[in-house]
């Protein structure tokens, strides 16, 4: 009878454990893993929320960032306009990217009163390279890009004037083609993780099943083994909170 | 294998244990299967965290690693106040932070590290051409250098032993050395709970709560002295329980003194273990009434241990040209005086909504939710990787319900608790001292500025008490419900871990 009860409680505990994991996976993890979104290729200069510095571009002015990485998968550059940029007249921006053996440019019109972010598509290099990214105001109205003067954001790229780095930069994020979910990008995420670790992607691939299957299974087996051990009799005062009768002598 | 065996069996029949079984291999073989599984889970999760978290992205990890590297390369700590050499970081670490975007990513979720092949090639070339002193020239000022040396000395051994001498190879090895401390803490929780209950499922629950706590796994797999503090406090709690249960021996009492001496040698916050030591010693005396001769011997040895630790620390700090006593925590006491009325007002508003009669709130709206929920259960990276708001809300509801359940269980089992008043008072002394100390430090910091300083990871040295409390509630439930409660808690732990790891991957590599 007691054995049947024990089997019963092991089965219910196992079911509960699995149900909580399943509900969590289906309601929290799966939607996020299958949602399609933008894919960052690289962030030459991060966005700063607290202290946005406007980088003012007069008509015809051009600002360039040095030491920018262009990956073959890059498709567009995302710029952010400073709040003061939302004027009444339309204007035009030209993006130029160049490195040894690589040159690309693209122009785009900023709509009347447009603020916030703007994606400018441009052609990628054939292979990864490090070069310069410029933005030119080819319109007739002054505009301003959101930028930063935080030294932590400028460790790689900063605006270069007459070959000299200045203490500020416009924020820019390079994107790959979007429309892929995290699940589709598992291989890419493993490669990126391994790139900044001393171990190769093999460890990431090994960890994936261990995390998703091994960890839940091991916790469940530990619990099941424990539940197969009969509880001490309820009347046993030593069952909880220890005892003083097992006193060791020095 | 019967899970109750192992440690418990070894205790019951000490004479049956031969010399051979006292060897490490014998101990490993006797490890109960559920504990072995939970340690394996801790190891896998820890390895995952140490690989997924990009280098230097833990809280102040770049500073802590710089300390380890300088100590390992030169045998001396960097200065905490004077700028010299290449500055806070060695040339190698500084260039990694800059070239690979690892400084820009700190605490800013819009930034990503430089993972492309072309950046990696450039980094590898830089490492090949690193000047001879490129690893040892981070002479300071390093803010972490005001910390005592124990953890850094431990990590510098791992740094020197690393088979991979690249920066990232050594960083991974130092992170894995932290993981060993985390594994020790998990095993010690098993030891502690095994003293308190014979129910194996309750032991699995308590140990699992610690093994699956995502903030602890994260902190336990980066370079940060907090994890050594966790291991020391957990060992102290386990040893206090063992000593109160079985009676004092020279090894046990001196062990308590030794752990208390190691605690402030690890971090300034470690000084808070001193009052619990006094309380536990008093309780041991009241409970077991040891012979006066033994007491004198133990106190003499113990105080000598504490004295040696203090002198070593003073010699060390005066030798490296900086470092306020106990990492500046004591200095805070000296700079600001404690206004009791203002402190109580701060304390009320930390936990509860403000009342009209109270003084204006000190500092930002920062309290129970931020410290006991958000940054205790899971805020990763440099506080920039957060669980969804609804998860924190659920954790808060669960925690408050848990506190109510704990109170109810204590009332229902009051006779049982009263019979073990010594254990109860000892655990309360550790928990309350730890929390009150943090509140006093936070209050004094707020008197002098806007930063409340305290975050949830500072509560992690008390993680064993948290696990014991959860288990006490579970074992107070009706006999059939306890194991089911344990199953739900452990499943939630697995989910939180996977969520934390997943969000970290998305934040840094998505």
């Amino acid at each position: 009878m007691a054995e049947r009860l024990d089997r019963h409680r092991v089965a219910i505990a196992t079911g509960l454990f699995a149900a909580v994991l399943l509900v969590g996976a289906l309601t929290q993890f799966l939607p996020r893993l299958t949602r399609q979104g933008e894919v960052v290729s690289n962030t030459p200069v991060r966005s700063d929320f607290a202290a946005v510095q406007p980088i003012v571009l007069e008509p015809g002015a051009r600002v360039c960032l040095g030491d920018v990485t262009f990956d073959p998968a890059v498709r567009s550059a995302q710029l952010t306009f400073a709040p003061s940029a939302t004027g009444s007249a339309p204007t035009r921006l030209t993006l130029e990217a160049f490195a040894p053996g690589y040159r690309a440019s693209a122009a785009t019109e900023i709509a009347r009163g447009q603020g916030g972010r703007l994606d400018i598509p441009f052609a990628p290099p054939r292979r990864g390279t490090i070069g310069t990214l410029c933005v030119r105001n080819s319109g007739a109205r002054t505009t301003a890009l959101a930028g930063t003067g935080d030294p932590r954001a400028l460790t790689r790229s900063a605006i270069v004037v007459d070959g000299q780095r200045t203490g500020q930069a416009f924020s820019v994020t390079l994107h790959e083609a979007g429309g892929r979910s995290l699940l589709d990008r598992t291989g890419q995420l493993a490669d990126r993780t391994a790139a900044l670790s001393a171990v190769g992607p093999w460890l990431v691939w090994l960890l994936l099943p261990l995390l998703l299957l091994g960890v839940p299974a091991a916790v469940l087996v530990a619990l099941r083994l424990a539940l197969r051990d009969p509880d001490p009799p309820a009347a046993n005062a030593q069952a909880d909170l220890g005892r003083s009768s097992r006193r060791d002598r020095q | 294998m019967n899970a109750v065996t192992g440690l418990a069996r070894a205790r019951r029949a000490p004479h049956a244990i031969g010399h051979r079984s006292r060897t490490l291999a014998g101990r490993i073989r006797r490890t109960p299967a559920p504990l072995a599984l939970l340690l394996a889970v801790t190891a896998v999760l820890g390895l995952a965290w140490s690989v997924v978290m990009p280098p230097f992205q833990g809280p102040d990890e770049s500073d802590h690693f710089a300390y380890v590297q300088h100590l390992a390369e030169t045998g001396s700590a960097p200065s905490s106040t004077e700028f010299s050499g290449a500055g806070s970081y060695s040339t190698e670490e500084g260039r990694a932070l800059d070239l690979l975007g690892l400084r820009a990513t700190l605490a800013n979720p819009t930034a990503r590290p430089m993972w492309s092949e072309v950046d990696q090639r450039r980094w590898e070339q830089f490492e090949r051409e690193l000047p001879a002193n490129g690893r040892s020239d981070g002479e300071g000022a390093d803010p972490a250098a005001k910390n005592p040396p124990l953890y850094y000395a431990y990590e510098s051994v791992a740094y020197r032993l690393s088979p991979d001498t690249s920066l990232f190879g050594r960083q991974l090895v130092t992170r894995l050395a932290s993981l060993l401390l985390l594994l020790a803490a998990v095993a010690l929780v098993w030891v502690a709970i095994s003293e308190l209950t014979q129910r194996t499922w309750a032991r699995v629950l308590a140990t699992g709560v610690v093994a699956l706590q995502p903030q602890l796994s994260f902190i336990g797999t980066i370079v940060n002295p907090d994890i050594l503090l966790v291991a020391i406090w957990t060992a102290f709690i386990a040893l206090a329980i063992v000593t109160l249960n079985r009676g004092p021996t020279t090894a046990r009492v001196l062990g308590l003194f030794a752990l208390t001496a190691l605690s402030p040698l690890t971090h300034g916050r470690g000084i808070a273990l001193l009052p619990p030591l006094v309380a536990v010693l008093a309780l041991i005396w009241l409970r077991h009434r040891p012979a006066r001769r033994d007491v004198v011997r133990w106190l003499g040895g113990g105080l000598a241990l504490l004295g040696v630790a203090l002198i070593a620390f003073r010699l060390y700090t005066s030798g490296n040209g900086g470092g306020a006593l106990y990492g500046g925590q004591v200095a805070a006491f000296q700079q600001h005086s404690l206004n009791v009325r203002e402190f109580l007002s701060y304390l009320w508003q930390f936990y509860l909504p403000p009342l009209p009669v109270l003084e204006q709130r000190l500092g930002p709206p920062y309290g129970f939710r931020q410290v006991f929920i958000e940054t205790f259960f899971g805020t990763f990276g440099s506080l920039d990787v957060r669980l969804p708001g609804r998860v924190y809300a659920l954790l808060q509801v669960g925690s408050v319900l848990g506190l109510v359940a704990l109170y109810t269980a204590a009332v229902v089992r009051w006779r049982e608790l009263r019979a073990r008043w010594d254990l109860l008072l000892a655990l309360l002394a550790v928990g309350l001292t730890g929390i009150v100390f943090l509140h006093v430090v936070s209050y004094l910091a707020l008197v002098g500025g806007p930063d409340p300083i305290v975050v949830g990871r500072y509560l992690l040295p008390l993680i064993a008490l948290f696990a014991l409390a959860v288990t006490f509630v579970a074992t107070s439930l009706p006999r059939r419900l306890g194991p089911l409660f344990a199953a739900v808690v452990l499943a939630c732990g697995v989910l939180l871990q996977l969520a934390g790891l997943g969000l970290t991957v998305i934040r840094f590599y998505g």
Side-chain angles (χ1 to χ4, degrees):
Chain A
M1 182 66 182
E3 195 178 320
R4 194 186 306 161
L5 270 179
D6 282 344
R7 276 211 305 269
H8 196 58
R9 87 173 171 171
V10 171
I12 296 179
T14 303
L16 256 180
F17 184 89
V20 172
L21 284 187
L22 202 64
V23 169
L26 291 178
T27 62
Q28 302 297 317
F29 296 169
L30 202 61
R32 205 176 257 263
L33 289 172
T34 52
R35 193 186 309 147
Q36 296 180 340
E38 50 185 29
V39 181
V40 173
S41 167
N42 176 8
T43 48
V45 179
R46 71 187 196 187
S47 299
D48 268 330
F49 311 108
V52 175
Q53 275 197 9
I55 308 294
V56 178
L57 286 176
E58 303 288 345
R62 179 175 184 254
V63 284
C64 294
L65 295 178
D67 210 10
V68 173
T69 301
F70 298 103
D71 196 77
V74 71
R75 291 294 179 271
S76 66
Q78 187 177 72
L79 302 170
T80 309
F81 292 95
S84 59
T86 55
S88 54
T91 192
R92 189 178 167 79
L93 282 186
T94 303
L95 185 104
E96 296 164 322
F98 52 91
Y102 166 62
R103 179 170 286 276
S105 75
T108 189
E109 194 92 355
I110 306 175
R112 193 182 174 87
Q114 182 177 342
R117 291 176 176 173
L118 176 71
D119 278 302
I120 306 176
F122 68 99
R126 274 202 209 117
R127 66 186 124 171
T129 184
I130 295 174
T132 304
L133 181 76
C134 300
V135 177
R136 184 154 48 88
N137 183 353
S138 41
R141 180 173 66 81
T142 299
T143 190
L145 298 172
T148 177
D150 185 339
R152 289 170 300 180
L154 307 177
T155 55
R156 275 277 301 251
S157 303
I159 291 176
V160 180
V161 176
D162 297 330
Q164 296 292 313
R165 280 167 62 99
T166 66
Q168 53 182 9
F170 58 89
S171 301
V172 57
T173 301
L174 303 183
H175 282 126
E176 298 183 3
R180 282 178 295 159
S181 68
L182 289 167
L183 219 49
D184 297 333
R185 296 170 52 213
T186 308
Q188 183 190 52
L189 294 175
D191 288 342
R192 288 179 174 184
T193 304
L196 290 157
S197 175
V199 291
W202 65 268
L203 182 59
V204 182
W205 285 111
L206 180 68
L207 281 169
L208 262 177
L210 281 175
L211 286 170
L212 298 177
L213 302 172
V215 165
V219 174
L220 184 59
V221 171
L223 184 64
R224 285 175 62 100
L225 283 174
L227 288 174
R228 283 189 189 143
D229 265 355
D231 279 354
N236 184 353
Q238 316 297 327
D240 287 309
L241 294 174
R243 70 287 159 271
S244 52
S245 57
R246 283 194 298 176
R247 182 173 173 173
D248 295 345
R249 288 284 167 198
Q250 193 177 0
Chain B
M1 180 182 174
N2 185 328
V4 188
T5 55
L7 294 170
R9 185 192 292 165
R11 281 197 304 270
R12 277 190 217 113
H15 302 298
I17 302 168
H19 171 71
R20 203 170 155 217
S21 65
R22 281 199 295 274
T23 62
L24 183 63
R27 282 169 193 271
I28 291 172
R29 270 198 302 276
R30 289 201 321 274
T31 304
L35 172 60
L37 283 166
L38 291 174
L39 289 174
V41 164
T42 309
V44 168
L45 289 170
L47 187 58
W49 276 108
S50 62
V51 169
V52 159
M53 186 59 59
F56 313 121
Q57 300 304 303
D60 307 320
E61 194 181 11
S62 53
D63 299 334
H64 296 305
F65 183 83
Y67 190 158
V68 171
Q69 186 175 47
H70 195 268
L71 190 59
E73 294 285 346
T74 68
S76 65
S79 170
S80 65
T81 52
E82 289 173 25
F83 285 89
S84 55
S88 305
Y89 310 116
S90 66
T91 299
E92 184 186 44
E93 185 183 344
R95 290 294 282 166
L97 289 167
D98 292 345
L99 277 181
L100 299 172
L102 296 168
R103 202 192 303 261
T105 50
L106 285 170
N108 186 316
T110 68
R112 301 288 188 277
M114 302 290 176
W115 50 56
S116 72
E117 272 184 46
V118 62
D119 286 311
Q120 296 305 312
R121 279 202 303 273
R122 187 160 76 158
W123 168 250
E124 284 160 13
Q125 186 180 346
F126 170 78
E127 281 234 281
R128 281 196 297 273
E129 295 165 0
L130 188 69
N133 67 342
R135 290 184 171 126
S136 58
D137 56 356
E139 292 168 13
D142 183 350
K146 69 179 187 298
N147 287 338
L150 188 61
Y151 173 77
Y152 304 96
Y154 166 76
E155 284 288 11
S156 67
V157 174
Y159 179 100
R160 296 299 302 181
L161 292 177
S162 171
D164 182 343
T165 56
S166 71
L167 178 70
F168 293 150
R170 283 181 157 147
Q171 221 241 348
L172 182 63
V173 168
T174 49
R175 283 182 169 183
L176 295 180
S178 286
L179 175 57
L180 291 181
L181 298 171
L182 173 62
L183 286 164
V186 171
L188 285 163
V189 171
W190 180 277
V191 172
I193 189 69
S194 297
E195 283 292 318
L196 299 176
T197 180
Q198 293 174 25
R199 303 185 209 197
T200 314
W201 66 262
R203 296 176 182 181
V204 167
L205 173 61
T207 312
V209 162
V210 176
L212 296 172
Q213 214 279 11
Q215 188 72 32
L216 181 63
S217 296
F218 162 60
I219 289 295
T221 47
I222 58 168
V223 181
N224 190 306
D226 282 354
I227 190 59
L228 180 54
L229 213 51
V230 171
I232 288 172
W233 280 56
T234 308
F236 181 90
I237 290 166
L239 189 54
I241 294 172
V242 169
T243 310
L244 285 166
N245 253 4
R246 305 190 196 185
T249 63
T250 301
R252 286 172 194 158
V253 175
L254 289 186
L256 290 168
F257 271 104
L259 290 166
T260 309
L262 293 177
S263 183
L265 285 178
T266 302
H267 196 280
R269 274 177 269 122
I271 199 172
L273 202 52
L274 208 50
L277 172 70
V278 175
V280 169
L281 291 176
L283 291 163
I284 291 169
W285 184 77
L286 286 170
R287 182 79 189 185
H288 295 282
R289 300 286 176 179
R292 182 172 294 178
R293 194 185 54 191
D294 287 339
V295 172
V296 171
R297 200 153 44 96
W298 295 335
L299 281 181
L303 290 173
L305 268 177
L306 284 178
V308 167
L310 186 65
I311 290 167
F313 178 77
R314 291 301 290 169
L315 285 175
Y316 173 81
T317 50
S318 57
N320 84 344
L325 182 61
Y326 296 122
Q329 310 287 357
V330 172
F333 284 89
Q334 292 161 350
Q335 285 161 9
H336 307 288
S337 59
L338 189 109
N339 177 328
V340 175
R341 185 185 158 83
E342 193 180 44
F343 177 68
L344 291 176
S345 164
Y346 147 81
L347 212 53
W348 176 279
Q349 291 177 83
F350 183 90
Y351 290 100
L352 298 163
L355 296 174
V357 293
L358 294 177
E359 297 182 19
Q360 194 181 357
R361 181 185 201 111
L362 277 174
Y366 187 82
F368 176 78
R369 162 86 176 222
Q370 289 73 27
V371 175
F372 282 80
I373 305 298
E374 293 178 4
T375 55
F376 174 71
F377 283 106
T379 303
F380 315 106
S382 292
L383 301 179
D384 54 331
V385 185
R386 295 167 53 82
L387 296 167
R390 61 181 179 279
V391 175
Y392 289 129
L394 283 172
L395 286 168
Q396 185 166 6
V397 170
S399 300
V400 172
L401 287 176
L403 284 173
V404 173
L406 181 64
Y407 173 77
T408 311
V411 170
V412 170
R413 296 172 67 182
W414 180 242
R415 286 181 62 183
E416 240 180 295
L417 285 176
R418 210 171 56 181
R420 292 315 316 272
W421 54 269
D422 53 331
L423 270 181
L424 184 64
L425 289 176
L427 299 181
L428 278 174
V430 179
L432 289 177
T433 307
I435 291 172
V436 169
F437 179 83
L438 290 182
H439 276 310
V440 172
V441 169
S442 180
Y443 160 76
L444 292 173
L446 285 171
V447 170
D451 186 359
I453 290 184
V454 178
V455 286
R457 74 171 189 277
Y458 294 177
L459 297 167
L460 290 175
L462 304 175
I463 192 78
L465 299 185
F466 174 69
L468 294 182
V470 172
T471 310
F472 182 73
V473 170
T475 54
S476 303
L477 291 169
R479 206 169 170 75
R480 283 186 177 186
L481 287 185
L484 305 187
F485 175 79
V488 172
V489 169
L490 294 175
C492 288
V494 171
L495 282 177
L496 283 176
Q497 283 278 359
L498 296 181
L501 283 164
L503 289 168
T504 302
V505 168
I506 293 169
R507 181 261 179 265
F508 288 107
Y509 311 108

